[in-house]
Amino acid sequence: TALREGSDLLSEEIAGPLTEKQREIVYILRQHSLDLQRLIEDLLRHGESEFQQTPLKLQPVKPIEIIAKVIDKQHLAMASRHIKLDRQVDDFVLRTDPERLRIVFDNLLSNAIKYSPANGTITVSEKKNDNHVLLSVIDEGPGVADEEMDNLFDPFYRGQAVAAGVVKGSGLGLSIAKEHVLTLGGEITVGRGKGHFTVQLPLNI
């Protein structure tokens, strides 16, 4: 609440006028405080029946638009470590739950940023493949060790690789992403070598 109220006061320029860059930072701070609230709520109900029983809200959406919004929100995190983004996303319509898809991509991109080396490149691709959609997020980090594969999506599990940043992850991001992918009727797989996650979802159109 304090974070949200503080960012609101700054955005209303109560403490004085802001530059355009400062307004951008305040906006991103506010969006992240809302995400933090959602993460806390997910943590409180994780593993409970409420998480699985939240009704699907299927509707026609353009994944390219959801991806663009998430990338915009993560812009400062990438810019601070000079991480480049290679975006290979086709423009098409998918019938899915937009909020669940947003959470999945947000968690995968956030994970890639944590483990990407400074000045590295993250590749994001999404394309149609027959009756499915393939979403891939690939970073240039160390990837997932073979001995960690079995536990990677367990709640609160943290791998051995060292993530960048001053705040440790909750160990819930990938677990929550998998829950949403399964609820959407898809599957998530992990590639070898670099950090490489691929989500396959039904097209439903």
Side-chain angles (χ1 to χ4, degrees):
T1 301
L3 288 171
R4 290 181 59 182
E5 289 177 347
S7 58
D8 284 343
L9 289 173
L10 286 171
S11 65
E12 293 167 7
E13 301 190 351
I14 300 298
L18 301 175
T19 66
E20 187 63 32
K21 189 64 176 180
Q22 288 169 337
R23 274 193 290 271
E24 178 188 356
I25 294 172
V26 169
Y27 171 77
I28 292 174
L29 284 174
R30 186 175 188 281
Q31 292 304 112
H32 278 290
S33 69
L34 293 173
D35 288 339
L36 177 59
Q37 178 182 337
R38 283 191 287 266
L39 176 61
I40 293 170
E41 291 168 353
D42 284 342
L43 172 59
L44 291 174
R45 71 174 188 259
H46 190 77
E48 298 179 0
S49 59
E50 179 186 350
F51 189 88
Q52 284 79 21
Q53 293 177 1
T54 302
L56 279 171
K57 299 178 181 178
L58 298 178
Q59 55 186 279
V61 298
K62 285 192 170 187
I64 193 172
E65 296 176 354
I66 293 176
I67 289 172
K69 289 179 181 178
V70 172
I71 290 173
D72 184 59
K73 190 194 77 172
Q74 299 277 8
H75 169 70
L76 282 185
M78 289 186 286
S80 66
R81 299 181 50 237
H82 307 287
I83 295 173
K84 297 178 286 295
L85 190 71
D86 181 9
R87 195 181 322 191
Q88 304 169 10
V89 183
D90 294 336
D91 189 3
F92 59 89
V93 175
L94 165 68
R95 183 173 176 80
T96 191
D97 186 318
E99 179 60 11
R100 289 181 187 266
L101 178 60
R102 185 199 67 79
I103 291 172
V104 169
F105 179 62
D106 191 41
N107 283 336
L108 292 182
L109 182 59
S110 176
N111 187 76
I113 294 170
K114 286 181 194 173
Y115 292 100
S116 178
N119 301 300
T121 298
I122 294 174
T123 302
V124 173
S125 67
E126 185 164 36
K127 59 184 179 181
K128 289 193 294 185
N129 184 10
D130 297 327
N131 294 321
H132 293 86
V133 174
L134 294 177
L135 167 65
S136 294
V137 180
I138 305 171
D139 63 71
E140 296 178 333
V144 181
D146 290 343
E147 62 270 21
E148 297 179 341
M149 287 291 186
D150 291 341
N151 304 108
L152 186 62
F153 294 102
D154 292 348
F156 307 108
Y157 180 78
R158 294 172 182 164
Q160 297 177 7
V162 178
V166 296
V167 180
K168 290 184 178 180
S170 65
L172 277 175
L174 291 178
S175 177
I176 289 173
K178 184 176 180 179
E179 291 281 359
H180 284 307
V181 169
L182 293 177
T183 302
L184 293 171
E187 63 178 1
I188 183 169
T189 55
V190 186
R192 304 284 176 170
K194 299 178 181 179
H196 186 174
F197 290 85
T198 299
V199 172
Q200 178 176 289
L201 296 174
L203 191 57
N204 290 330
I205 292 294

